[in-house]
Amino acid sequence: MKKLFYAMNCLLMLSSSPSWAVGEDPSVIIVRSLERNGANSRLIIYRSKDRVEEIEYQSGLNDKGIRSTAAAYQQVVMKLMGEGYVLQTMTHSDLEASSTFIFVKAPKP
């Protein structure tokens, strides 16, 4: 009886393909923000060497600049989330007045 259960387990394991072992690499998108107070700032969306997008927006510490910055960030985040990406990590540099966001899409099994 033990041999029968052992044989069934072996056949069951061989018949199923583990999803973690098969599939493609996850897609990664890097978003870099370069902010300048009172001047045009940019969000750079780097998908690959051939696919780079730039969004310019007016930044600043006044109401118009804060709203413009929030709208630019929301536009990018909603676009990437709509494509199935999730924010993996974020870093900020006060020295360069920049932030880097890493978005990842899980691989398809």
Side-chain angles (χ1 to χ4, degrees):
M1 193 65 158
K2 286 182 184 180
K3 288 182 183 181
L4 179 61
F5 283 124
Y6 180 73
M8 292 298 287
N9 278 336
C10 288
L11 289 174
L12 183 62
M13 299 242 331
L14 288 173
S15 68
S16 65
S17 64
S19 61
W20 52 268
V22 179
E24 57 191 44
D25 291 335
S27 296
V28 176
I29 293 179
I30 308 297
V31 178
R32 182 82 190 256
S33 71
L34 303 169
E35 295 190 18
R36 296 181 186 102
N37 192 14
N40 282 347
S41 297
R42 295 185 302 161
L43 285 172
I44 296 133
I45 304 166
Y46 186 88
R47 295 176 182 266
S48 69
K49 187 170 76 169
D50 301 327
R51 292 186 61 200
V52 179
E53 301 172 53
E54 289 190 30
I55 297 174
E56 278 199 25
Y57 60 95
Q58 185 69 35
S59 64
L61 298 177
N62 58 14
D63 285 344
K64 184 179 179 182
I66 292 170
R67 287 187 180 127
S68 177
T69 300
Y73 277 82
Q74 184 189 28
Q75 177 186 352
V76 170
V77 170
M78 294 299 290
K79 178 180 180 180
L80 295 178
M81 287 181 70
E83 295 175 13
Y85 290 89
V86 294
L87 180 64
Q88 184 71 32
T89 188
M90 178 261 197
T91 61
H92 179 74
S93 170
D94 286 329
L95 189 61
E96 298 175 346
S98 67
S99 298
T100 303
F101 304 87
I102 300 176
F103 289 86
V104 176
K105 184 190 284 187
K108 295 179 184 176

